[in-house]
Amino acid sequence: MRFYILLYLLMLCGVPTAQAQLKAITDQTEYPFWINLPNQEVLDKKAPIILFLHGKSLSGTNLDRVKRYGVIRAIERGKEIPAIVIAPQVAHGAWDPDKLLKLLEYVQNNYNTDLSRVYVCGMSLGGYGTFDFAGKYPDKITAAVAICGGGNTKDACNLATVPLWVIHGNKDYIVPLSESRKMVKAIQTCNPDANLTFTIVKGGNHGSVERYFREDKIYNWMLSQIKFIP
């Protein structure tokens, strides 16, 4: 009885009652990364992949830093995501789309994955990385979510072929809202009918929009997108 009372109190306080089964892989690809597998039922049917790209503050050589916010943080707080989640760490500088592709291909070659459901999301530096990766390899992913980031407008026509959700706070003084606006404008100029959602978070600053990783919205949206594989 005492156990159930304690469990109930922990749940009321928002304390996670179970830790995610994360695995660190540090010697197989150029980026070390965390991987979190869904339950066996999802794996048996071929699992979607969600690639999470962190922001500049989590860069370095200590992989534990990647747990500080974002998808891995949400998983450790108890969120169940029916996908293989991979979260690499960049030591310094920008995300390299070529290295990310090699990481993605490593996971696809070693796990039972669904090629029609491959998603990338990121925040800040990771938002830039999301635009860059989806812009260079739009054929490799199904959909993308870029939060408080930006990109290169030369990638706009490639990005217009990928379902994309762009999120930015209007009180962001680290990466200004104009960075997302220019990408949205370029994509819509290339294709006015692009599958593009642009959410401006009123009062949102550079850090507060991280809450989207703790909610169901972006996961439900990503996982509802399916790419036709001939």
Side-chain angles (χ1 to χ4, degrees):
M1 179 62 72
R2 288 181 180 178
F3 169 78
Y4 291 106
I5 292 173
L6 177 59
L7 182 63
Y8 177 70
L9 290 173
L10 289 172
M11 292 173 64
L12 285 179
C13 295
V15 177
T17 56
Q19 291 296 314
Q21 296 299 309
L22 291 171
K23 179 181 179 182
I25 298 179
T26 61
D27 58 355
Q28 297 298 316
T29 65
E30 292 185 74
Y31 288 137
F33 64 97
W34 290 109
I35 186 166
N36 188 76
L37 301 180
N39 62 48
Q40 193 60 45
E41 183 180 356
V42 176
L43 284 173
D44 287 343
K45 296 178 181 178
K46 292 192 175 182
I49 292 177
I50 294 178
L51 169 62
F52 167 69
L53 305 179
H54 65 72
K56 184 178 180 180
S57 66
L58 303 191
S59 299
T61 56
N62 179 359
L63 195 56
D64 282 335
R65 294 175 66 87
V66 179
K67 294 181 177 182
R68 291 186 179 181
Y69 66 72
V71 182
I72 298 300
R73 175 64 171 166
I75 289 171
E76 288 209 313
R77 297 289 294 179
K79 179 166 289 298
E80 294 185 12
I81 301 173
I84 295 174
V85 174
I86 48 179
Q89 183 181 42
V90 63
H92 54 79
W95 288 102
D96 184 325
D98 297 331
K99 292 180 181 179
L100 290 172
L101 179 61
K102 290 178 182 178
L103 168 58
L104 176 61
E105 290 176 339
Y106 169 82
V107 174
Q108 290 172 328
N109 289 334
N110 287 276
Y111 296 87
N112 190 27
T113 71
D114 186 345
L115 296 180
S116 70
R117 303 176 76 198
V118 180
Y119 313 100
V120 58
C121 60
M123 177 177 174
S124 192
L125 179 70
Y128 282 87
T130 296
F131 276 120
D132 289 345
F133 185 51
K136 186 166 185 179
Y137 296 110
D139 58 318
K140 299 296 184 180
I141 64 170
T142 307
V145 177
I147 300 179
C148 62
N152 193 324
T153 55
K154 71 177 178 60
D155 293 327
C157 289
N158 279 349
L159 289 165
T161 68
V162 177
L164 182 64
W165 187 0
V166 180
I167 302 169
H168 215 121
N170 69 344
K171 299 296 183 182
D172 190 332
Y173 302 114
I174 306 298
V175 177
L177 175 59
S178 58
E179 287 292 283
S180 283
R181 282 192 189 278
K182 76 175 184 181
M183 294 304 297
V184 169
K185 181 180 179 181
I187 293 167
Q188 291 177 331
T189 298
C190 183
N191 180 5
D193 297 320
N195 186 349
L196 172 63
T197 301
F198 185 26
T199 300
I200 298 175
V201 183
K202 293 183 178 180
N205 59 37
H206 194 63
S208 66
V209 290
E210 189 272 343
R211 67 179 172 80
Y212 277 82
F213 291 112
R214 290 176 270 123
E215 299 174 356
D216 292 331
K217 299 175 187 176
I218 61 171
Y219 306 110
N220 291 343
W221 180 82
M222 284 191 288
L223 293 169
S224 71
Q225 309 296 321
I226 301 175
K227 189 181 188 74
F228 173 70
I229 304 293

